[in-house]
Amino acid sequence: MTSPFPIPSDPEHRDRAPRGDGPRARLRGAARFRVLWRLFRDEKDNPEPFYSFLAREAVDDLEYRHGPLRDQRIADLGCGPGYYTRALRAVGATVVPVEGDADEIRAGGGPDDLIRGDATRLPVPAASLDGVFCSNMLEHTPDTHAVAHEIARVLRPGGWCYLSWTNWYSPWGGHDMTPYQFLGPRRGPELYERRHGPPRKNRYGEGLFAVHIGPTLRTFGETAGLRIDDVEPRYWPWARAVTRVPGVREVLTWNCVIRMTKEGETVTDVPGAERHSDDLPRDPEFEEVLASVADVEGWMSDGQARRLWDRARALEPGSRIVEIGSFRGRSTIVLAKASTDEVEVVAIDPHAGNDRGPSQWSGPAEAGQGDREVFVANLEQAGVAERVRHVREFSRRALDAVDGSIDLLYVDGSHRPTEAAADIRAWGERVRRGGTLLVHDTFSSAGVTLAVVMTLFAGGDFRYVGRVRSMAEYRREDLSLMARVANAGRQIAQLPWMARNLLAKFALWRRIGWLTRLLGYEEGDAYPY
């Protein structure tokens, strides 16, 4: 789609609004709740303090998660009076303010370069945005599916989306009709209008629609190219466990936030959001690298390779990647090709003939030396031999060979529970705050699963992001007690899938044909990974 509205690329609209005075956006816990409640009580008569507070808070949070917003190209969907547009521009972002509500536009007070647009048909070119910010617009749009597809269309690969809305059965879901919405989307509005007349704005079916959390998660989770990273209540994010409970979440969440990334891989972050797709967003460079490692022996699906590629691709110069367990270089080549020359890539593997694959926990030294020779040859053929520092040592003995912090850690070493747990603990301590930990075979190897249960399920340092098949992704963060409980629950939810994988391995090993076929495999297939 070509756009009649050019996206601003000059500094004309930047830094026009100061961060402003007022309540600190970094308040936490009870203090934050008190400030929010005080401001919310006056929201109808004096909306500026409430929404300005939320805008500053949102910008601080986005910069924490996605790095500096300066020079990022961001759409503010449903920008209204422009609170979020001004806050984003105050930190140097290039913002496209889009508003489709004629009443909001006539009322004025919004950005002077506001674009009249429909969120289901955005006047923005495909793959042109680094981020999409959408606050309290979804419940005013009749076609959630179309909004999801438009967000996926306009975001570049690796781009982010922040989406929040007031879910229908929350305490304020009916807006002016509250609490009549609890009678349902048909009877509630009818009874309200019979007794009070039409609401002053956002009449049901015209400017307000019943948007529920469960169906919305399924809609965005099934949209090709979008990955759901997190779901939380906007006003009490520490209680994100609530969003995991169908029914209860529709009432207690009040205002729901979904955080997404432009990708197209298997996602299992939230119930109802899982999808399996080999239709990854086109990336010619990645496809070329994937083809180059097609004949390199190893256990890594295309989706897992894409996750490694995307995480390494996003690293800044001066970053460090550490891989534990390289085997013959399949994943090593992907990591080295994805990152720039200024990113250090360290591959740790003793090549001792051990842990060479499923059921190959021990082996002769000759086999290990052969793996080493093939590893070096594969890196040379791929043109990355000079990019990779190989530490030929057992991981527990290699800690002194790497100084400083790690930005991306990929663990695919020993599958014995004690040794795998030691890798996660010792090397995980080196991952910087905000850095990424990827653990292969988390949900297909009993040993690795046990190691993850011992180290990450109830830990307070790594938040579970999701998985690509059996490869789990974590982000290093400081987790509160409630966040730790929710984090453990999200990982426990994957155990039935892991049990299926173990059953499939048993069926393949024992050649039980009927059970193998029942689980979706054929005799002779590789073990699930």
Side-chain angles (χ1 to χ4, degrees), residues 11 17 47 180 458:
Y180 286 81

Side-chain angles (χ1 to χ4, degrees), residues 361 411-417 420-421 424 439-455 470 498:
W361 281 9
V411 178
D412 190 18
S414 175
H415 285 29
R416 300 176 181 88
I424 294 170
V439 184
H440 200 263
D441 291 319
T442 297
F443 300 112
S444 66
S445 165
V448 179
T449 301
L450 183 57
V452 169
V453 170
M454 292 189 295
T455 58
S470 69
M498 179 259 188

Side-chain angles (χ1 to χ4, degrees), residues 313-467:
R313 196 75 165 168
L315 295 179
E316 299 289 336
S319 300
R320 176 181 288 122
I321 300 171
V322 172
E323 175 187 59
I324 298 176
S326 302
F327 190 40
R328 295 189 167 182
R330 184 175 171 87
S331 55
T332 315
I333 293 170
V334 173
L335 291 168
K337 286 279 193 179
S339 54
T340 66
D341 292 343
E342 292 79 18
V343 173
E344 181 184 10
V345 181
V346 182
I348 299 172
D349 196 309
H351 286 121
N354 301 324
D355 288 297
R356 297 174 65 251
S359 302
Q360 297 177 15
W361 281 9
S362 62
E366 293 80 5
Q369 180 58 29
D371 293 336
R372 156 71 176 171
E373 293 171 359
V374 174
F375 169 77
V376 172
N378 286 335
L379 264 59
E380 289 177 346
Q381 184 174 356
V384 297
E386 299 298 321
R387 289 270 299 110
V388 178
R389 178 161 72 95
H390 178 215
V391 179
R392 190 175 182 182
E393 186 57 272
F394 287 99
S395 58
R396 64 182 179 276
R397 299 174 185 166
L399 286 163
D400 292 337
V402 180
D403 296 325
S405 63
I406 299 169
D407 299 275
L408 173 58
L409 174 63
Y410 178 44
V411 178
D412 190 18
S414 175
H415 285 29
R416 300 176 181 88
T418 302
E419 295 177 11
D423 284 342
I424 294 170
R425 285 195 185 99
W427 288 96
E429 290 179 356
R430 301 278 191 89
V431 178
R432 66 167 177 81
R433 287 288 183 269
T436 297
L437 165 65
L438 293 161
V439 184
H440 200 263
D441 291 319
T442 297
F443 300 112
S444 66
S445 165
V448 179
T449 301
L450 183 57
V452 169
V453 170
M454 292 189 295
T455 58
L456 298 174
F457 265 40
D461 293 321
F462 284 95
R463 182 172 66 84
Y464 173 70
V465 174
R467 64 174 172 86

